Amino acid sequence: MPGLLRGVARTAVVAGTATAVSNRVSRRQQGRWAQQDPQQAAPQPARSAAPPPAQPADMTSKIDQLKQLGELKAQGVLTEAEFEEQKRRILES
């Protein structure tokens, strides 16, 4: 019976690790695609109107996003460069 439990535990660890790696790869790909989108959209004519001033509720949303971003960095999901890039995007939006 201990051999069976060891096999089941090993399978669970491998499956959990594979899921975590897959999720991280997906997030990185989405980040890279998001970075490519502005580059592909650049040849299109730029908007002539300036964006409206930020609302106070918008600032609360940005703070929440920055907190989540910090948590992802602390968990090791984001690298320092990815963290800085996403932080810049949040603050510029």
Side-chain angles (χ1 to χ4, degrees):
M1 193 61 115
L4 178 62
L5 290 176
R6 186 178 306 146
V8 170
R10 182 180 298 138
T11 301
V13 168
V14 170
T17 303
T19 301
V21 170
S22 175
N23 289 341
R24 184 171 183 187
V25 168
S26 293
R27 276 190 231 99
R28 282 189 174 182
Q29 285 177 341
Q30 288 174 350
R32 288 183 182 131
W33 291 336
Q35 289 175 355
Q36 289 176 356
D37 286 344
Q39 293 171 356
Q40 292 173 353
Q44 297 175 356
R47 289 188 249 164
S48 59
Q55 301 293 329
D58 188 37
M59 185 57 74
T60 302
S61 173
K62 286 182 182 183
I63 291 171
D64 290 339
Q65 289 176 342
L66 289 171
K67 285 180 183 177
Q68 291 174 348
L69 196 62
E71 290 172 6
L72 290 174
K73 182 181 173 223
Q75 294 171 358
V77 175
L78 296 175
T79 64
E80 182 67 31
E82 292 169 332
F83 172 77
E84 292 298 327
E85 174 65 22
Q86 294 301 321
K87 182 174 79 171
R88 181 186 60 78
R89 286 181 180 209
I90 290 170
L91 293 175
E92 288 179 354
S93 65

